[in-house]
Amino acid sequence: MSGTDDNQGIKKPEQGRVNVGDRTPNQAVMTTEGYRLTEDKSGKFGAIYLDDCQFSPINGIRVEFEYVIHSASSSNGGADGFTFFVFDGSQTSITTGSGGASAGYMYTRANNKGKKNRCQGLTGGYLGVTFDVYGNFKDRRWSATDRKNGIKDYGNSQGKQNHITLRGAKGVAHPSINGMGDGYTGYPVLITQSTTNKSDNRRLKADGDYGSFSTSYNSSFQLRNGTGSGKYRKAIIELYPIAGNNGMYVTVKVIHGDTESTVINDYAYKTETAYFENAISNASSGDYNADDKINEGGAFKENLNTAPPAIMKMGFAASTGGKYDKHVIKNLSITFPCSAKAENDAAETTRGYAVSLLPLENDIAYTGPVSRMSVGSKEYIDPSTFCFVHPLTGQPSATPHQLNVAGQGNWVYDMHTKKVTFTPLYSFIGNAVVKYTIKGGLNNEMPYCDEAYRSQPASIRVSVSSAGHKLISNRMISSKLR
């Protein structure tokens, strides 16, 4: 399964079906830079979701995308960030959460003075992964215009900025408490980690309270970045099933420069989550007439059902406030964990001489249950599934094991020897490049024999020179065997 295309690397979702909860116009639009969620201006909001891309908790999901968070303003840049969200795929009409610090996922409650700010959380919300530049997404809030559960007083005592934060599922409505109806409870903070300070973190404990934790994460980088094609950073979000249908493991990585940082590693998001609703009113009228200075109530504990929905879908949202940034995503790739992986290869020859190589030697597929502990191997590849990709259409070749490229030469794959042979035309000198894909699933093993587990395309490059000795090689450009 892939969410990519040949334009900006992201499918254009049915944006007209996205409802924006707090009445702010939806700014999300495709541009030459990628999918721009917000402009570099204050008070903006944008959201998209992929209506034609769904997955099951049995399979999990791996999402990769490049992003930029940047402002031309040196004094007002720096807010708020963006959210990758997952929601119940059975929902037919999706409304985002509030903008600002809620980042399109969380609700906002308020008294009557701030009633224009009231907004439910994301419809059917299951998980929000927020790249929080300003730092308010994790906070517990209590004011006339902004009330939501979260980590109390933490944001005020720590460096707030540059946190990756996970919030959980929509809560249970409490219609007997004014202001806490459907969509106005739940979405608790699960875990938050600063990207600039290893020890600046909190996670939800079994008793519903929060505490710091030890982590192997040791990088330090800003979530914001510059502009231009070389300045995009890459995010990787993985959801793996926990054995026994007991929830999902969540991992969040960011590639910045030449460094890949695992900011959140295998967070175990179980099927039940205890937390405290800690932004409630003690006024007899509930939220609506409560004074934000004197009517702050206590907290009550909830045991929230956080079992993953049978079918899940995903999307993105971004927001700005008094401070602001431009938020752009592009080159979105969506695959199943434990899908086959093909790596690039290269060889050299001289004009008119055929050259052979073994591209599957540095490729992998998987077997057994889908698990974050699975180890891939070339031995699990089904060699019959090799397929050339047509260079003009980007689609599988009509003859999967043979491809003739006009003006260059002929490519042939032999499933028995697992060799690819390229025979260049005598008139061709230069680099000939072809792409191919593979699958696992030997003996029709599910789910790996399904087309959804086919690898992303890898390239084979043959350099054809005008003279010299004939060279036969299989120089692996990359050999990431995991």
Side-chain angles (χ1 to χ4, degrees):
M1 178 176 60
S2 173
T4 62
D5 63 24
D6 291 332
N7 182 18
Q8 289 298 329
I10 178 170
K11 279 188 176 180
K12 185 174 182 179
E14 296 184 36
Q15 188 179 332
R17 298 182 62 186
V18 181
N19 303 311
V20 179
D22 58 2
R23 303 178 183 86
T24 304
N26 190 347
Q27 273 215 317
V29 62
M30 180 68 81
T31 71
T32 56
E33 297 177 283
Y35 223 110
R36 190 189 68 201
L37 298 174
T38 72
E39 294 179 285
D40 185 15
K41 296 179 180 179
S42 64
K44 301 300 180 182
F45 183 86
I48 57 175
Y49 76 97
L50 307 181
D51 192 39
D52 55 355
C53 185
Q54 64 184 35
F55 66 100
S56 161
I58 297 173
N59 304 110
I61 202 76
R62 177 184 170 90
V63 181
E64 302 180 31
F65 57 91
E66 294 179 12
Y67 75 86
V68 66
I69 306 173
H70 177 76
S71 177
S73 172
S74 59
S75 58
N76 291 319
D80 276 291
F82 71 88
T83 297
F84 166 80
F85 57 79
V86 179
F87 62 96
D88 183 351
S90 68
Q91 300 291 327
T92 57
S93 180
I94 305 303
T95 300
T96 67
S98 182
S102 293
Y105 187 74
M106 189 63 173
Y107 62 77
T108 295
R109 295 179 11 245
N111 68 12
N112 282 338
K113 295 178 183 177
K115 61 184 178 181
K116 67 177 183 178
N117 292 323
R118 288 180 192 145
C119 180
Q120 295 169 300
L122 175 72
T123 305
Y126 169 69
L127 177 68
V129 181
T130 297
F131 293 66
D132 188 7
V133 171
Y134 195 69
N136 283 342
F137 184 68
K138 62 187 180 298
D139 294 355
R140 177 261 196 193
R141 313 274 283 181
W142 174 264
S143 70
T145 59
D146 190 1
R147 297 171 182 176
K148 57 176 70 78
N149 70 58
I151 307 176
K152 188 175 182 180
D153 299 327
Y154 172 51
N156 296 328
S157 61
Q158 299 285 328
K160 296 166 71 76
Q161 294 79 18
N162 295 295
H163 268 252
I164 293 180
T165 303
L166 273 55
R167 276 190 180 264
K170 173 185 172 182
V172 177
H174 293 279
S176 62
I177 305 176
N178 289 333
M180 298 188 71
D182 184 50
Y184 288 100
T185 68
Y187 310 93
V189 173
L190 304 173
I191 186 171
T192 188
Q193 173 66 61
S194 166
T195 64
T196 58
N197 183 351
K198 174 181 177 178
S199 62
D200 183 6
N201 60 43
R202 294 290 188 276
R203 70 184 300 163
L204 190 60
K205 300 186 296 183
D207 62 2
D209 203 352
Y210 292 95
S212 59
F213 59 93
S214 298
T215 175
S216 59
Y217 168 73
N218 58 8
S219 297
S220 180
F221 66 96
Q222 302 282 329
L223 286 174
R224 298 176 77 225
N225 47 11
T227 58
S229 59
K231 297 296 184 179
Y232 282 82
R233 289 186 174 155
K234 187 172 187 176
I236 302 169
I237 300 172
E238 298 174 326
L239 278 69
Y240 275 88
I242 299 176
N245 297 320
N246 198 27
M248 307 290 289
Y249 288 108
V250 184
T251 294
V252 183
K253 305 175 185 178
V254 178
I255 299 175
H256 48 101
D258 296 326
T259 302
E260 179 179 290
S261 298
T262 302
V263 182
I264 294 175
N265 188 29
D266 279 347
Y267 175 80
Y269 184 22
K270 298 293 187 67
T271 55
E272 185 174 87
T273 301
Y275 78 102
F276 284 93
E277 282 291 346
N278 58 5
I280 60 177
S281 168
N282 64 14
S284 59
S285 59
D287 255 357
Y288 301 143
N289 295 309
D291 190 301
D292 62 301
K293 295 181 175 61
I294 62 175
N295 289 124
E296 181 179 355
F300 61 84
K301 189 175 183 179
E302 292 272 49
N303 290 312
L304 184 61
N305 178 6
T306 50
I311 294 296
M312 294 184 279
K313 295 182 180 180
M314 67 197 79
F316 295 86
S319 56
T320 69
K323 290 184 175 293
Y324 45 82
D325 281 313
K326 176 170 62 176
H327 299 88
V328 180
I329 58 173
K330 72 171 187 175
N331 290 334
L332 173 64
S333 173
I334 303 170
T335 56
F336 285 134
C338 297
S339 295
K341 295 180 176 64
E343 300 287 350
N344 298 338
D345 298 274
E348 300 171 355
T349 189
T350 55
R351 62 191 304 169
Y353 281 94
V355 61
S356 297
L357 65 164
L358 295 164
L360 304 191
E361 286 296 299
N362 61 335
D363 298 344
I364 58 174
Y366 294 82
T367 190
V370 175
S371 167
R372 78 193 199 288
M373 303 302 292
S374 296
V375 177
S377 170
K378 65 181 181 180
E379 304 302 326
Y380 305 140
I381 299 169
D382 181 349
S384 70
T385 65
F386 181 100
C387 184
F388 286 116
V389 177
H390 198 284
L392 297 180
T393 66
Q395 300 299 311
S397 172
T399 51
H401 296 174
Q402 191 274 334
L403 182 66
N404 188 275
V405 179
Q408 295 187 2
N410 192 48
W411 298 86
V412 176
Y413 168 74
D414 186 324
M415 62 176 284
H416 302 291
T417 64
K418 304 177 187 177
K419 286 184 179 181
V420 168
T421 300
F422 176 62
T423 305
L425 297 174
Y426 188 78
S427 59
F428 177 73
I429 296 172
N431 290 322
V433 179
V434 71
K435 293 186 177 182
Y436 72 96
T437 62
I438 54 166
K439 285 195 305 181
L442 284 168
N443 302 314
N444 295 318
E445 182 188 8
M446 290 293 291
Y448 307 108
C449 65
D450 191 285
E451 278 299 306
Y453 282 80
R454 182 172 286 278
S455 72
Q456 293 291 299
S459 65
I460 302 172
R461 185 183 73 243
V462 175
S463 298
V464 182
S465 61
S466 59
H469 296 290
K470 176 185 174 184
L471 299 175
I472 301 177
S473 65
N474 185 22
R475 190 174 63 237
M476 298 179 186
I477 293 177
S478 175
S479 57
K480 299 176 183 176
L481 302 182
R482 293 186 292 174

